[in-house]
C-alpha cells in the first residue's frame, strides 16, 4: 500500500499542482448561492470593499482532525486580488488583524496559566476552553468613503470541529450584535453587498434575510487551501 507523507522540500510536485487545481475547480462548483438579485456573477473587475472576520483569516478546514497540513492557504483577500480585483479596505483589514493577534496572544497565555495550575497539557485545556474571536471591528464612515467603490463583500466565518461545535448564542450559531450592525450599515452604504459564508457548520441566517441591502448570499463552506481562488472563480462565474 502506498504511503503518503508531508513534503520535505520547498519544491511543489506536479501531483500537488494537479490536486490543487482539481480541488479549486470542484470547490467553486460546490458553492451554493442562497440569495441573488442578479448581482452575481460580477461581470467586471475593479475596486472591492472587503470586510468580515474571514476575509483575511479564511478558514480552510475545521479543528482537530478536520485540519490538515498545507504549504499555504489562499485566503479570500488574496484570491480576489490575484483574480484582478483591487481591495480598497486594507486599513480595516489591518485593524481587525491587529485585534485578532492580540486576542490570540492573550488566549495562549490563559491556556498556559490553566495548564500550569492544573498540571494538564495546554492542548487538552484547549478542548474545554476553545478560542473565541474578538468582537468584529466597527466599520466607519471613513472606511466607506475611502473604499472608492459601490460594491462590498463581507466574509462571515465560523470554525467548528473537535472541541468546538455550534452553540445557540450570539457570535456563534446566531449573528452577533456587532455583525448585524455592520451588515446593516454596509447595506445602506453600498449599492451592492455580497455576503460570503465561510462555514463548516450551520448558523441561523434569518438575521441576514432581515437586513436590507444584501444583494447576494453565497455559501462557500471551508474549501481547503485554495478557498480564496475558488471563491473568486465562483463569484465571477
Amino acid at each position: 500500500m502506498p504511503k503518503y507523507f508531508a513534503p520535505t522540500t520547498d519544491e511543489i510536485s506536479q501531483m500537488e499542482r494537479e490536486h490543487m487545481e482539481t480541488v479549486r475547480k470542484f470547490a467553486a462548483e460546490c458553492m451554493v448561492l442562497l440569495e441573488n438579485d442578479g448581482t452575481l456573477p460580477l461581470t467586471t473587475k475593479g475596486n472591492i470593499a472587503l470586510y468580515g472576520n474571514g476575509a483575511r483569516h479564511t478558514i480552510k478546514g475545521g479543528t482537530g482532525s478536520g485540519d490538515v497540513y498545507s504549504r499555504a492557504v489562499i485566503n479570500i483577500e488574496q484570491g480576489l486580488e490575484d483574480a484582478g480585483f483591487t481591495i480598497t479596505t486594507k486599513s480595516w483589514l489591518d485593524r481587525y488583524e491587529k485585534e485578532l493577534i492580540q486576542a490570540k496572544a492573550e488566549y495562549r497565555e490563559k491556556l498556559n496559566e490553566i495548564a500550569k495550575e492544573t498540571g494538564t497539557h495546554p492542548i487538552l485545556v484547549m478542548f474545554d476552553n476553545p478560542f473565541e474571536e474578538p468582537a468584529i471591528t466597527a466599520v466607519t464612515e471613513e472606511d466607506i468613503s475611502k473604499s472608492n467603490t459601490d460594491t462590498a463583500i463581507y466574509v462571515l466565518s465560523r470554525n467548528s470541529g473537535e472541541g468546538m461545535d455550534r452553540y445557540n448564542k450570539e457570535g456563534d450559531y446566531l449573528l452577533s450584535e456587532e455583525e448585524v450592525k455592520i451588515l446593516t450599515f454596509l447595506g445602506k452604504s453600498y449599492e451592492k453587498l455580497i455576503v460570503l459564508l465561510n462555514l463548516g457548520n450551520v448558523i441561523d441566517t434569518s438575521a441576514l434575510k432581515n437586513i436590507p441591502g444584501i444583494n447576494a448570499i453565497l455559501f462557500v463552506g471551508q474549501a481547503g487551501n485554495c478557498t480564496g481562488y475558488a471563491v473568486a472563480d465562483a463569484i465571477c462565474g
Side-chain angles (χ1 to χ4, degrees), residues 4-97:
Y4 298 96
F5 300 94
T8 57
T9 70
D10 292 335
E11 182 180 358
I12 300 177
S13 67
Q14 182 61 28
M15 179 185 72
E16 288 180 85
R17 297 180 191 277
E18 292 174 354
H19 287 188
M20 284 190 289
E21 284 302 312
T22 299
V23 170
R24 173 178 176 172
K25 176 179 181 294
F26 288 150
E29 293 178 356
C30 290
M31 293 176 183
V32 181
L33 193 59
L34 302 178
E35 297 282 347
N36 188 29
D37 64 358
T39 295
L40 292 180
L42 297 177
T43 55
T44 59
K45 297 176 182 178
N47 291 348
I48 284 285
L50 183 62
Y51 303 98
N53 62 329
R56 182 172 289 176
H57 294 273
T58 306
I59 300 171
K60 75 178 189 305
T63 63
S65 57
D67 196 8
V68 295
Y69 171 84
S70 296
R71 288 184 183 272
V73 177
I74 308 302
N75 62 24
I76 291 174
E77 178 186 19
Q78 182 181 345
L80 292 174
E81 287 182 318
D82 289 353
F85 292 94
T86 299
I87 307 301
T88 59
T89 50
K90 293 284 189 178
S91 60
W92 184 92
L93 294 170
D94 290 342
R95 294 204 310 274
Y96 176 71
E97 182 171 29

Side-chain angles (χ1 to χ4, degrees), residues 122-133:
I123 293 295
L124 298 178
V125 175
M126 181 180 65
F127 283 115
D128 291 328
N129 300 271
F131 175 70
E132 294 186 6
E133 292 186 4

Side-chain angles (χ1 to χ4, degrees), residues 107-122 125-126 128-129:
Y107 172 69
R108 287 192 295 271
E109 184 177 341
K110 176 185 175 182
L111 287 184
N112 289 330
E113 288 177 356
I114 297 175
K116 185 176 181 180
E117 291 173 358
T118 61
T120 308
H121 195 283
V125 175
M126 181 180 65
D128 291 328
N129 300 271

